[in-house]
Amino acid sequence: MLKPEILDPQGQAVQRALPRLGFEGIADVRQGKRFELEVEGEVDQAALDRIHKMAETFLANTVIEDFTVKVEA
Amino acid sequence: MLKPEILDPQGQAVQRALPRLGFEGIADVRQGKRFELEVEGEVDQAALDRIHKMAETFLANTVIEDFTVKVEA
């Protein structure tokens, strides 16, 4: 997701459109990318470290984006 | 995220690039959108129903995408 201090024009465009579509009560909207990776073999610490490195160097632009790595069975 | 039966060229492009960048062991990559909504007031069932409707009619293209709504404090 874009870092909080980075302007998010896409999120703002969505937020401005919501009331016109009848959806009230949303104070802020942020839009970002989501990757689902299917890992071969066990997701042990080594695999997690590798995925974290992958996200940091390739999947995210860490100059403007924050990322989190979550394991889902 | 794109439905499983829908071709995901972006995800495939990422998956093909990973070994060239030295990242092995990833069987599949899917890429999609993520929205973070800040809700005014309490996130009760009514608010959740409203957000689910918002996602279904506006934030997701339910012809080709699945979506999940998660509450994070």
Side-chain angles (χ1 to χ4, degrees), chain A:
Chain A
M1 301 294 290
L2 287 172
K3 292 184 176 187
E5 66 273 19
I6 303 291
L7 190 68
D8 178 5
Q10 287 180 300
Q12 286 181 347
V14 170
Q15 187 185 354
R16 279 196 305 271
L18 289 175
R20 286 201 312 270
L21 296 164
F23 297 111
E24 302 294 342
I26 301 299
D28 189 36
V29 176
R30 308 281 295 178
Q31 179 171 343
K33 294 179 292 192
R34 171 187 167 92
F35 291 94
E36 285 183 5
L37 308 175
E38 190 181 317
V39 180
E40 291 163 2
E42 207 190 318
V43 181
D44 53 16
Q45 190 55 51
L48 274 177
D49 293 343
R50 215 170 55 237
I51 289 163
H52 194 277
K53 183 90 178 135
M54 198 184 298
E56 199 170 41
T57 56
F58 180 51
L59 300 177
N61 173 351
T62 51
V63 172
I64 59 168
E65 292 174 332
D66 290 325
F67 67 87
T68 50
V69 177
K70 288 184 187 168
V71 180
E72 293 183 9

Side-chain angles (χ1 to χ4, degrees), chain B residues 7-73:
Chain B
L7 191 68
D8 178 5
Q10 286 179 300
Q12 286 181 346
V14 169
Q15 188 184 355
R16 278 195 305 270
L18 289 176
R20 287 203 310 273
L21 296 164
F23 297 112
E24 303 294 341
I26 301 299
D28 189 35
V29 176
R30 307 281 295 176
Q31 179 171 343
K33 294 178 293 192
R34 172 188 166 91
F35 291 93
E36 284 183 6
L37 308 175
E38 190 182 317
V39 180
E40 290 163 4
E42 207 190 321
V43 182
D44 52 17
Q45 192 54 49
L48 274 177
D49 293 345
R50 215 171 53 236
I51 289 162
H52 195 277
K53 184 89 178 136
M54 199 184 298
E56 200 170 39
T57 57
F58 180 51
L59 300 177
N61 174 351
T62 51
V63 173
I64 59 169
E65 293 173 331
D66 289 326
F67 67 87
T68 50
V69 177
K70 287 184 187 167
V71 180
E72 293 182 9

